[in-house]
Amino acid sequence: MVSVVREAPLRVDRSPQLPAARGRASAELFALLRDEPAAAPGAPPDALGEDAQLALYVCYELHYRGFAGVAPEKEWEPAVLTLRRELEAGFETALRALVDPHSDTLALRDELEALTAPPGNTGPSAHLLHHPNRAWLRELVAHRSMYHLKEADPQAFVLPRLSGAAKALVAGVEFDEYGGGNPNRSHSLLFAELMADLELDPRYGAYLDVMPAPMLALVNLMSWCGLHRRLRGALIGQLALVELSSPLSSQRMLRVLQAHDCGPATQRFYAEHVVADAVHERVMREAIAALITDEPDLTADIVFGIRAALLLEERLDEHLLEHWQSGRSSLRQAI
């Protein structure tokens, strides 16, 4: 069980500990990071499974906060990058096999319009709205902490890879995510405060060891697209999905928190997103229009980013609901 640590002020930027390995790939990676003898080579892991997704997440995390006891130089260690490339190749192959490859400007328009449709009466938030359960709510928030405690960081990688109007517009969205110049309003800090109010550990990466593959894959998609210039269009598609769907999904999360008797302070993170993302929806539409005007060949990549993110969101929803409905924790260990 992960212990809850309350700090004042909250710190969300400390380097976490390396988690326990989940198979050959993660064991090989951790040996490299610790300068220990490498594990014996074996068969490639399931690209969307626990071992591969944890190893890929840790590879990417070296470009964010890193890990306690891991030398900063490991970020560019050739053997680590070689392993990461193998994991990324498997991840890309798996995603492209599952995502509809057919796309054009009309498909992009349809995808964007679908993102603003009211959410259906399904999914984890709908389940929590109709079946309030504080343990499930805390699990959902713990899952989302894997992204929200570094909110906007994966997308920041795309800024040097853009130019002109698209760059300026996306930078404006990012500026808001970081609090618009006010560090006390940065979205990562607001989420940390939400976690603390729910008696969860708000420290960065606190729940990595218990986080299952479906949530890791969703964050890995952002990092993968952000760290590769050729995938800049896909990251814009992923960001569009977040910003266009957020106002309505955040409204429902506010209702979920109210159903669980959470006060205004606990609701602050989602209340902020209802307002901010209503603006970001328009800005992202303008950014995409500017991007495909300058680089029309990126249209298919933008559609792929939207569809891949939707696919991984659906897989996470299925994981959560399957476990809750069978009376099991959706995490690898209950918290």
Side-chain angles (χ1 to χ4, degrees), residues 60-270:
Y60 289 144
E61 196 57 38
L62 298 175
H63 300 294
Y64 294 97
R65 310 295 199 277
F67 292 92
V70 175
E73 293 78 12
K74 294 296 183 180
E75 178 181 6
W76 300 111
E77 171 68 39
V80 172
L81 296 178
T82 296
L83 177 57
R84 190 186 104 184
R85 185 173 182 176
E86 294 172 359
L87 294 166
E88 286 177 327
F91 190 40
E92 179 167 10
T93 298
L95 286 177
R96 293 198 183 276
L98 294 170
V99 172
D100 181 0
H102 301 97
S103 59
D104 52 22
T105 303
L106 182 60
L108 174 58
R109 186 197 68 184
D110 292 343
E111 293 287 353
L112 293 175
E113 291 307 312
L115 296 180
T116 59
N121 196 32
T122 59
S125 59
H127 189 76
L128 286 171
L129 188 60
H130 298 296
H131 307 282
N133 183 304
R134 196 170 185 84
W136 295 344
L137 173 61
R138 294 175 75 249
E139 285 191 2
L140 178 60
V141 171
H143 277 277
R144 293 299 181 180
S145 74
M146 301 308 295
Y147 169 65
H148 287 311
L149 289 182
K150 61 181 175 190
E151 183 157 345
D153 288 353
Q155 292 81 9
F157 285 122
V158 83
L159 291 176
R161 297 167 165 84
L162 302 176
S163 61
K167 182 173 188 171
L169 291 163
V170 174
V173 172
E174 291 285 279
F175 182 64
D176 287 348
E177 301 289 354
Y178 292 126
N182 181 351
N184 294 322
R185 293 192 65 84
S186 66
H187 291 183
S188 61
L189 180 60
L190 296 183
F191 197 82
E193 292 172 347
L194 165 63
M195 294 182 72
D197 288 345
L198 291 174
E199 297 184 298
L200 290 166
D201 190 336
R203 293 176 300 175
Y204 185 92
Y207 293 101
L208 176 56
D209 216 7
V210 300
M211 198 55 52
M215 185 64 224
L216 297 179
L218 187 56
V219 184
N220 284 341
L221 173 71
M222 305 177 205
S223 298
W224 171 55
C225 294
L227 289 167
H228 290 269
R229 183 178 177 276
R230 70 180 176 89
L231 295 168
R232 62 194 181 280
L235 188 63
I236 293 301
Q238 183 277 326
L239 181 57
L241 180 148
V242 172
E243 302 299 342
L244 271 66
S245 63
S246 178
L248 292 176
S249 62
S250 293
Q251 286 178 8
R252 183 147 78 179
M253 278 304 300
L254 281 175
R255 291 164 57 201
V256 168
L257 293 174
Q258 291 160 4
H260 288 77
D261 297 320
C262 297
T266 312
Q267 299 173 30
R268 189 176 172 212
F269 173 83
Y270 286 105

